[in-house]
């Protein structure tokens, strides 16, 4: 990959079926909230003083907490707090899901435990103190901590229903046998568990579904909501030592949907589809729902020689592979696209659907030992879209954009498509000295960097925003688009010896 040409290379992301769907889907135990000083925002390149797209939103996070306006920093205790997903409600409130790790003093000294954590912020960036009131979970108002027992829980994805209920997906691991299951929780708009959901005898309280798909480890990585209220969860299930892509559909009440995945002969119960693409490991990392009910799943397939490719699968509404998709001679069955972007490893981390049905995938491609941000656009039939990333001289074919921001590793973690067709990607850039910053990229619909975005002196080309949130390493985890075009990014920030959750809002116009 010719990284010296990175000024002309782009990255892109995928769009939700509609703005409302994007807001819903963007759509995966401490005792106090503390704040820590962050780095000052970048200085604008232009002498023009007025705010522009890509700059920190000065109306957000204006509390006297030592952070610059535009950034909120949240610590829930002495342990590590990490984000994984963010969604914007119809009323503008922001829901962030992740994991909070604390040190236990009740058992063995130094023992740590991890719980799923859900925070809700008001549009101005302050915690919503009407959320999680009276949960008695040791967290402040505005935060809900979910512990399912003595094991470890991690929150990975979130979606908000039209009625305001919040669906959280993650993984729970038993302390006894170290096996992990998929966990799905639904909260009422006030943060209490919805006791009408997940009433099965699965060892979890009402409001929570604990799913074991077999004898191996299972993980829930992504979630999407159908128009009829059914819940689609994507992740992995392990069988005979290797992992498969797993797709689960639940009814509105939290039961396995017995009309999904019927007769797939994959060793899983009705309501579950397990996709194995070979003898190696396959993982489902992202999901998007088409308007016709088809399910688009994005992830990574790794062969037995440890090389990995991006994989995109499309399922019919009944869970069967859509044989009209991905009919290329790539060694996979019809319904699946296997993408190798070069000689190195490639990963598929995020997906979005454009209004015209094209599929945008964001992840990484590796060249000469370092990873770049990769953005791929497929047609509705699963072929590379040859109108995207044309003439990019980045070593990739038309339909793909590879973006290198330096000699270190660059990773795309999240993607969304604006109403005007521009693609927004959030992730992380790491320098050769191993320090990392949050990075946000915006591409034009043709895959070229949007020169009107991120016009600041941060060492990156226009179209890219490089954000340092302090002296430690920062990681961009997730993003969501507000109705007014502003861009919300959930991130992690290393603060001394622990990690805090950070929420950043950028201007979109």
């Amino acid at each position: 990959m010719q990284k010296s040409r990175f000024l002309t290379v782009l990255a892109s992301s995928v769009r939700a079926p509609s703005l409302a769907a994007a807001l819903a889907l963007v759509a995966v135990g401490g005792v106090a909230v503390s704040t820590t000083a962050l780095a000052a925002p970048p200085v604008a390149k232009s002498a023009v003083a007025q705010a522009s797209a890509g700059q920190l939103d000065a109306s957000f996070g204006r509390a006297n907490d030592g952070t610059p306006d535009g950034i909120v920093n949240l610590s829930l205790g002495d342990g590590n707090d990490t984000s994984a997903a963010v969604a914007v409600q119809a009323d503008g409130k922001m829901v962030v899901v992740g994991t909070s790790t604390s040190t236990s003093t009740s058992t063995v000294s130094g023992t740590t435990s991890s719980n799923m954590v859900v925070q809700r912020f008001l549009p101005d960036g302050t915690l919503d103190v009407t959320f999680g009131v009276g949960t008695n979970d040791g967290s402040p108002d505005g935060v809900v901590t979910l512990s399912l027992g003595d094991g470890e829980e991690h929150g990975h994805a979130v979606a908000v229903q039209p009625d305001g209920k919040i669906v959280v997906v993650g993984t729970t691991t038993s302390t006894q046998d170290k096996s992990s299951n998929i966990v799905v929780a639904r909260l009422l708009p006030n943060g209490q568990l919805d006791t009408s959901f997940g009433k099965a005898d699965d060892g979890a309280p009402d409001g929570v579904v604990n799913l074991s798909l077999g004898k191996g480890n299972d993980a829930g990585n992504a979630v999407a909501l159908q128009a009829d209220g059914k819940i689609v969860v994507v992740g992995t299930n392990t069988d005979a030592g290797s992992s498969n892509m797993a797709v689960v559909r639940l009814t509105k009440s939290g039961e396995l949907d017995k009309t999904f995945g019927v007769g797939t002969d994959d060793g899983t119960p009705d309501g579950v589809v397990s996709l194995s693409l070979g003898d190696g490991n396959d993982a489902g990392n992202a999901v998007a729902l088409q308007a016709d009910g088809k399910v688009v799943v994005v992830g990574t397939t790794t062969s037995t020689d440890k090389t990995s490719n991006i994989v995109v699968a499309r399922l019919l509404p009944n869970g069967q592979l859509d044989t009209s998709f991905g009919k290329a001679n790539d060694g996979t069955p019809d319904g699946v696209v296997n993408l190798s972007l070069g000689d190195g490893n490639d990963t598929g981390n995020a997906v979005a659907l454009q209004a015209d049905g094209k599929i945008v995938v964001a992840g990484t491609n590796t060249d000469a030992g370092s990873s770049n941000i990769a953005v791929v656009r497929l047609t509705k039939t699963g072929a590379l879209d040859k109108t995207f990333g044309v003439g990019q001289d980045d070593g990739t074919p038309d339909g793909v954009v590879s973006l290198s921001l330096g000699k270190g590793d660059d990773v795309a973690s999240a993607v969304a498509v604006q109403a005007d067709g521009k693609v927004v990607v959030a992730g992380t850039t790491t320098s050769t000295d191993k320090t990392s910053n949050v990075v946000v990229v915006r591409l034009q619909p043709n895959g070229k960097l949007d020169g009107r975005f991120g016009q600041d002196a941060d060492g990156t080309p226009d179209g890219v925003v490089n954000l340092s949130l302090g002296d430690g390493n920062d990681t961009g985890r997730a993003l969501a688009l507000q109705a007014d075009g502003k861009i919300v990014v959930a991130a992690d920030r290393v603060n001394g010896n622990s990690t805090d959750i950070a929420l950043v809002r950028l201007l979109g116009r």
Side-chain angles (χ1 to χ4, degrees), residues 11-16 286-288 290 296-298 310 312 325 339 348-363 374-380 383 385 388 399-401 412 414-418 421-425 443-445 447:
S12 75
S13 82
V14 197
R15 172 162 188 125
V287 61
Q290 296 187 173
V296 178
V297 181
V298 164
I310 295 170
V312 185
F325 180 79
L339 289 169
N349 300 333
V351 64
L353 303 180
Q354 294 189 173
D356 60 2
K358 292 180 180 179
I359 300 168
V360 181
V361 177
V375 183
V376 179
R377 193 163 72 192
L378 303 179
T379 66
K380 291 185 286 187
D385 178 10
F388 183 77
V400 181
V401 170
V415 66
V417 180
Q418 296 183 171
K422 293 181 179 179
V423 177
V424 183
V425 178
L443 306 178
Q444 299 177 45

Side-chain angles (χ1 to χ4, degrees), residues 23 86-95 120-123 128-131 160 189 482:
L23 295 177
V86 61
V88 179
Q89 296 186 170
D91 59 4
K93 294 180 180 180
M94 290 152 283
V95 181
R120 192 166 71 191
F121 297 87
L122 297 174
D128 178 7
V129 296
T130 69
F131 182 75
V160 180
Q482 294 189 173

Side-chain angles (χ1 to χ4, degrees), residues 116 148 152-156 169-173 179-184 218-221:
M116 298 174 68
L148 303 182
E152 303 283 319
E153 288 86 43
H154 296 268
H156 295 153
V169 165
T171 303
T172 180
T173 304
S179 64
S180 60
N181 294 343
I182 294 171
V183 62
V184 184
D218 310 312
N221 298 330

Side-chain angles (χ1 to χ4, degrees), residues 414-488:
V415 66
V417 180
Q418 296 183 171
D420 60 2
K422 293 181 179 179
V423 177
V424 183
V425 178
T428 307
T429 181
T430 304
S431 64
T432 52
D433 65 1
K434 304 304 181 183
T435 59
S436 61
N437 292 344
V438 175
V439 65
V440 183
V441 177
R442 191 163 76 183
L443 306 178
Q444 299 177 45
N446 62 5
K448 294 185 182 297
L449 283 171
D450 178 10
R452 300 185 63 182
F453 182 80
Q455 295 181 344
D456 45 47
D458 60 3
T460 61
D462 291 343
V464 180
V465 173
N466 186 327
L467 287 170
S468 174
L469 306 181
D471 294 332
N473 291 326
D474 311 311
T475 305
R477 298 291 188 187
L479 73 85
L481 303 179
Q482 294 189 173
D484 60 2
K486 291 180 179 178
I487 300 165
V488 179

Side-chain angles (χ1 to χ4, degrees), residues 37-48:
L38 304 183
V43 179
K45 290 177 185 175
S46 171
V48 179

Side-chain angles (χ1 to χ4, degrees), residues 89 187 215-216 275 308 436 445 495:
Q89 296 186 170
L187 306 180
K215 296 179 180 179
L275 291 173
S308 61
S436 61
N495 175 23

Side-chain angles (χ1 to χ4, degrees), residues 50-108:
Q50 68 183 33
S52 61
Q55 289 188 341
L56 288 169
D57 177 10
S59 69
F60 181 76
R62 296 176 61 89
N64 185 22
D65 60 2
T67 65
D69 295 341
I71 301 173
V72 172
N73 192 66
L74 178 65
S75 173
L76 300 177
D78 296 331
N80 292 320
D81 307 312
T82 58
S83 62
V86 61
V88 179
Q89 296 186 170
D91 59 4
K93 294 180 180 180
M94 290 152 283
V95 181
V96 178
V97 163
T99 304
S100 178
T101 302
S102 61
T103 301
S104 173
T105 58
S106 60
T107 54
V108 180

